[in-house]
Amino acid sequence: MTDPVSSLSAPPVLITGMSGGGLSSAARVLEDKGFYVAHNLPPQLLVDFLELCARQDSPVDKVAVVTDVRSRMFSGGLLDILSQLEKRGLRPTVLFMDARNDILIRRFDSVRRTHPLQEGDTLQVGIERERAITSDIKENADIVIDTSNLSVHDLRRAIEASFGTMAQNRQHVTVESFGFKHGAPRDADLMVDVRFLPNPYWVPELRAFRGVDAPVSDYVLGQPGAEEFIDNFVNMFDSMLEGYRHEGKHFITIAVGCTGGHHRSVAVSEEIGRRLGEREEIDVNVIHRDIERD
């Protein structure tokens, strides 16, 4: 039997998550990258739709489906549908969009909307109901993006890092630098703190540069303990890859933090990304969440 996904150039993408978490923004990014995006299909229609898109005579090359809380009100559990799709060779990459409750409340208030599950209760109650409903699918998602501290441009970069050069049958690693003063990312699988290294911010001639610039990179990576730390981390990560594969985890996010996200975390992320990028079995993308922030 011919694998139906062979007519698509990449696995289908299922965009889901919390209302107000950035589902529409994620859909626009994938549309700009050439995906055909369908919105709010009931779960039971997902199988038929993706099989149609995967047919040899389909004009669709890449496809994504957005399913939010409104479509989940139809009968048919999403995890069961994913299991059916996997049996047909059409298991999609699940992208779960999330944000902190206070951020979601602020976003709903700013557009003067009620939450789909709010009913006669408060906005907080509606959000908590949705979070309970989506907990299982978030736990089983391939990629979780927390948009709490992301601008629209940051979000685009994060999604492009995951899907931009994605190859099938390989593991995909995102190395993300960040500043602790802006909040640690909640969607990281591994998090390391490089604030043990001297801060270039306190070196006047380096302050205006960033970790992607040679003067800062050379300074950070040349500090005592820096190379040993990176060697140990890369060796540790190598020892984890087979376990991740066995558990079916194909998307891994490594977060590297310093104080502001300008210097140390950027330089170390670039070096970790460079070393991991030498491995043929994984795709590596490096992004810098806070490099432009004050």
Side-chain angles (χ1 to χ4, degrees):
M1 179 177 177
T2 302
D3 188 346
V5 80
S6 62
S7 61
L8 296 172
S9 63
V13 177
L14 176 66
I15 305 171
T16 189
M18 295 294 294
S19 302
L23 280 72
S24 296
S25 296
R28 286 193 291 270
V29 173
L30 292 185
E31 283 178 338
D32 290 344
K33 298 191 72 62
F35 281 76
Y36 178 85
V37 180
H39 293 262
N40 294 323
L41 287 179
Q44 290 291 352
L45 294 183
L46 275 173
V47 176
D48 292 340
F49 174 72
L50 292 180
E51 286 187 331
L52 179 65
C53 291
R55 286 172 45 175
Q56 294 296 331
D57 60 350
S58 170
V60 174
D61 181 48
K62 295 183 290 187
V63 61
V65 179
V66 180
T67 173
D68 63 15
V69 68
R70 291 169 294 175
S71 56
R72 289 193 295 270
M73 291 176 182
F74 289 86
S75 62
L78 199 51
L79 289 179
D80 291 338
I81 299 302
L82 292 176
S83 178
Q84 293 181 40
L85 289 169
E86 188 166 10
K87 292 176 182 178
R88 290 166 168 79
L90 286 168
R91 208 292 190 178
T93 298
V94 179
L95 170 61
F96 190 97
M97 309 299 295
D98 199 3
R100 299 195 314 267
N101 284 10
D102 62 304
I103 299 295
L104 295 175
I105 290 172
R106 188 185 311 164
R107 290 173 182 172
F108 273 98
D109 284 342
S110 67
V111 294
R112 300 182 184 278
R113 289 176 51 208
T114 58
H115 190 279
L117 298 183
Q118 186 172 344
E119 300 175 356
D121 296 308
T122 64
L123 181 55
Q124 177 77 30
V125 170
I127 291 171
E128 290 173 351
R129 283 175 179 150
E130 184 177 23
R131 199 169 289 286
I133 291 173
T134 60
S135 61
D136 286 345
I137 191 66
K138 179 180 178 180
E139 181 68 24
N140 288 274
D142 298 292
I143 308 169
V144 178
I145 296 181
D146 186 336
T147 65
S148 300
N149 296 311
L150 299 183
S151 68
V152 173
H153 302 296
D154 293 331
L155 175 58
R156 174 174 290 275
R157 284 191 288 268
I159 294 173
E160 288 178 343
S162 296
F163 295 100
T165 58
M166 189 176 72
Q168 297 189 47
N169 301 318
R170 299 175 73 183
Q171 286 177 291
H172 314 288
V173 178
T174 296
V175 185
E176 177 184 14
S177 71
F178 72 95
F180 279 99
K181 76 175 187 178
H182 300 296
R186 298 193 303 162
D187 49 4
D189 299 294
L190 297 169
M191 186 180 301
V192 295
D193 182 351
V194 297
R195 289 176 293 184
F196 69 92
L197 296 170
N199 192 348
Y201 180 86
W202 302 113
V203 181
E205 59 268 28
L206 296 179
R207 182 174 299 176
F209 291 101
R210 295 294 184 261
V212 292
D213 300 316
V216 171
S217 179
D218 292 345
Y219 175 87
V220 172
L221 300 180
Q223 294 300 315
E227 183 174 358
E228 180 182 6
F229 168 79
I230 294 172
D231 287 343
N232 289 337
F233 178 81
V234 171
N235 289 336
M236 180 192 73
F237 187 72
D238 280 342
S239 72
M240 301 169 69
L241 275 174
E242 184 57 38
Y244 278 137
R245 291 190 195 97
H246 182 267
E247 294 300 315
K249 187 168 182 58
H250 301 297
F251 294 84
I252 305 159
T253 299
I254 301 168
V256 182
C258 64
T259 302
H262 295 163
H263 301 108
R264 293 166 290 180
S265 63
V266 174
V268 172
S269 293
E270 288 285 335
E271 180 62 14
I272 290 174
R274 184 190 68 79
R275 296 196 191 187
L276 295 179
E278 296 173 349
R279 290 148 175 76
E280 295 182 355
E281 70 274 19
I282 58 177
D283 288 324
V284 180
N285 291 282
V286 180
I287 59 176
H288 305 300
R289 192 191 74 179
D290 300 325
I291 194 169
E292 301 296 338
R293 294 189 180 183
D294 294 331

